Amino acid sequence: MAHLLRPTSLRTLTRASQLSARSTWARVATSQGRLYSGTSGHNATKGSSAFVKALTTLTAVATAAALWSQMPVAKQVECEAPPKDDKKPSKTAQVDQKRKLEGLTEDSPMRLRMEAFNKRLQAEITARIEQLDGQGKFRVDQWNRVEGGDGISMVMQDGKVFEKAGVGVSVVYGMLPPAAVAQMRAQHPNIGHSKEAMPFFATGISCVMHPHNPNAPTVHFNYRYFELGAEDGGEPISWWFGGGCDLTPSILYEDDAVHFHRVIKEACDKHDPRYYKDFKKWCDDYFYIPHRGERRGVGGIFFDDLDDKKPNELFAFVQSCGKSFLNQYVPIMEKRKDMPFTEEDKLWQQLRRGRYVEFNLVYDRGTKFGLLTPGARIESILMSLPLTARWEYMHEPSAKTYNKLMDVLRTPRDWIPL
């Protein structure tokens, strides 16, 4: 169970980032993007989990670029250019840009194939969600990093079905400060001793959707890939995959939870019979709100530091999970988006969203790291938060109406046979 044996030490990485504040990774500028494709792998050793969580939130979401031509409903909005500095794209970023222009093959680096997959998936999901909403359109913010990489935040607000929905991809090249490298070395001995910063790469796709109707659940997923130590476009010293998905209802419909879990279990079972059972428990544990004594929602899967198989095998697993999302969520939304609800239901939804905000701002490791990092793109980091939420002093929910949900949040349930 190699994928379960290395806990993340984000607190130590946060201290390292504060010591290395001059290494600001989130300089952004507007530019055009490009779509690439390809499928195969490289051989590498092991990866580091905590830092890419930070990067996923630090640069936040983003990168659908050339796919926009297939999505005429998505309007491109430029971001403000950052202050000029003397930073230059990394050599690996420059080499990879040339590879993209030449076209990717089965022998192309994993980082480029994961980036291409994320961009395609972002376009597919946003197009389908606009169709489901019937009114809302995604605003598109595109940006580039001076050191290499780019990002696109795609956000819908005040749609007919969705109060807020965001899908984005980030692609990040940069240098990992020596303090952060040293913190990783205890868990990853293949990382050599050095007083110099090390090159890293990270890409991820992230999605959060908050519907208007309290009968319809909030949903989240994130899938990401990280490399450390690739010099001049070569092979990395360390690599790993991470991610997961989870469902957060305000009103519990057990058949929705069963459907959501069944679809992702089918994706997991194609690649390893252990994955769903292990990652389901990991998800229940991760999305726990200690000061409330309850989980954020009814779970899904969560995994990190995943390097227990060859890169191509794990890439296939991550693709299966990502491609499962629309089948996990759209059928639920089609059943729930137009259901009648009461004022009490809406009030309860707002209170449950307060719990969502509490978890994201108090406990989510990536969010905390991003907010503490100089130069972070705050709008993208906080994209996951709902437009509206509520906190009431000593609120007591209707036991008859909502206790079924609260029982599940306090004691997670196995929704399908393990």
Side-chain angles (χ1 to χ4, degrees):
M1 306 250 299
H3 55 284
L4 295 175
L5 296 181
R6 293 196 305 278
T8 299
S9 178
L10 193 74
R11 287 192 296 271
T12 56
L13 285 177
T14 301
R15 289 195 293 270
S17 73
Q18 292 168 330
L19 290 172
S20 306
R22 292 185 180 179
S23 294
T24 300
W25 307 302
R27 301 285 186 182
V28 295
T30 58
S31 102
Q32 291 298 322
R34 181 180 174 87
L35 170 67
Y36 308 101
S37 61
T39 50
S40 189
H42 57 69
N43 295 319
T45 52
K46 294 190 175 180
S48 168
S49 127
F51 189 70
V52 84
K53 286 192 194 77
L55 294 170
T56 307
T57 52
L58 170 68
T59 57
V61 269
T63 26
L67 289 164
W68 298 347
S69 61
Q70 303 171 26
M71 300 174 59
V73 293
K75 179 181 179 182
Q76 180 174 353
V77 180
E78 295 187 347
C79 306
E80 294 182 1
K84 294 182 179 180
D85 57 26
D86 58 357
K87 292 183 179 180
K88 297 179 180 179
S90 70
K91 291 182 179 179
T92 298
Q94 296 179 56
V95 171
D96 283 351
Q97 182 63 24
K98 183 178 179 181
R99 286 174 170 141
K100 294 173 185 178
L101 293 172
E102 293 172 348
L104 302 184
T105 69
E106 292 185 353
D107 296 321
S108 297
M110 178 60 69
R111 58 184 174 268
L112 299 184
R113 285 178 283 122
M114 183 65 175
E115 173 189 342
F117 169 71
N118 288 343
K119 293 176 179 179
R120 292 194 300 270
L121 185 61
Q122 182 190 42
E124 292 169 7
I125 290 172
T126 51
R128 182 66 182 93
I129 294 303
E130 284 193 346
Q131 182 184 42
L132 177 66
D133 189 273
Q135 174 179 300
K137 305 298 180 184
F138 279 93
R139 165 176 172 158
V140 182
D141 286 347
Q142 183 185 3
W143 43 273
N144 270 18
R145 298 185 71 254
V146 176
E147 301 93 327
D150 52 70
I152 299 170
S153 298
M154 303 183 69
V155 180
M156 175 194 296
Q157 294 186 153
D158 291 319
K160 180 180 179 180
V161 172
F162 293 97
E163 178 181 288
K164 188 178 181 183
V167 188
V169 179
S170 59
V171 181
V172 182
Y173 296 81
M175 298 299 293
L176 188 63
V181 174
Q183 296 293 341
M184 291 180 179
R185 192 173 296 116
Q187 297 181 25
H188 307 283
N190 58 309
I191 300 174
H193 290 267
S194 175
K195 295 183 180 180
E196 302 296 326
M198 294 185 68
F200 72 85
F201 169 88
T203 184
I205 180 168
S206 185
C207 168
V208 180
M209 299 188 180
H210 298 286
H212 286 294
N213 194 316
N215 292 290
T218 287
V219 73
H220 158 263
F221 79 79
N222 173 276
Y223 297 106
R224 54 195 179 272
Y225 174 73
F226 174 74
E227 290 184 353
L228 179 66
E231 297 279 359
D232 301 335
E235 297 293 330
I237 294 172
S238 301
W239 61 271
W240 66 271
F241 290 89
C245 58
D246 62 289
L247 194 70
T248 306
S250 299
I251 299 172
L252 179 62
Y253 293 95
E254 294 189 6
D255 54 332
D256 292 352
V258 169
H259 171 81
F260 188 84
H261 279 261
R262 183 175 60 245
V263 173
I264 198 61
K265 183 179 186 297
E266 290 172 356
C268 291
D269 287 350
K270 293 176 184 177
H271 303 275
D272 194 313
R274 303 173 304 154
Y275 278 174
Y276 174 75
K277 179 179 179 180
D278 293 346
F279 298 163
K280 192 268 184 188
K281 183 181 186 307
W282 204 342
C283 184
D284 290 338
D285 293 342
Y286 179 76
F287 291 105
Y288 179 64
I289 309 173
H291 67 269
R292 298 291 190 180
E294 60 194 48
R295 275 74 187 169
R296 190 174 78 174
V298 297
I301 63 169
F302 178 88
F303 59 93
D304 221 342
D305 280 315
L306 193 59
D307 58 1
D308 63 341
K309 302 181 188 299
K310 294 180 180 179
N312 281 340
E313 294 180 56
L314 296 178
F315 182 39
F317 165 62
V318 168
Q319 290 180 92
S320 293
C321 291
K323 291 176 181 177
S324 296
F325 171 72
L326 289 175
N327 190 29
Q328 282 182 283
Y329 190 56
V330 170
I332 295 173
M333 288 302 302
E334 288 176 333
K335 285 195 298 182
R336 308 299 176 200
K337 65 184 179 68
D338 297 318
M339 288 180 64
F341 57 88
T342 66
E343 290 186 10
E344 183 183 21
D345 291 335
K346 191 64 180 178
L347 171 63
W348 176 243
Q349 178 199 53
Q350 297 301 296
L351 292 167
R352 293 311 309 170
R353 285 188 177 169
R355 299 293 203 271
Y356 199 95
V357 172
E358 288 174 27
F359 176 84
N360 281 28
L361 295 183
V362 178
Y363 297 110
D364 186 71
R365 293 172 293 190
T367 300
K368 291 196 296 183
F369 188 95
L371 294 175
L372 289 171
T373 302
R377 191 168 189 270
I378 303 301
E379 289 298 316
S380 291
I381 293 172
L382 300 181
M383 183 197 72
S384 64
L385 300 182
L387 280 184
T388 59
R390 185 181 178 93
W391 287 264
E392 282 193 11
Y393 181 70
M394 298 298 290
H395 179 267
E396 292 294 333
S398 167
K400 180 179 179 180
T401 307
Y402 306 118
N403 261 12
K404 185 169 66 171
L405 173 66
M406 295 309 300
D407 288 344
V408 169
L409 298 183
R410 293 176 182 132
T411 306
R413 182 187 305 180
D414 291 333
W415 295 103
I416 52 178
L418 297 177

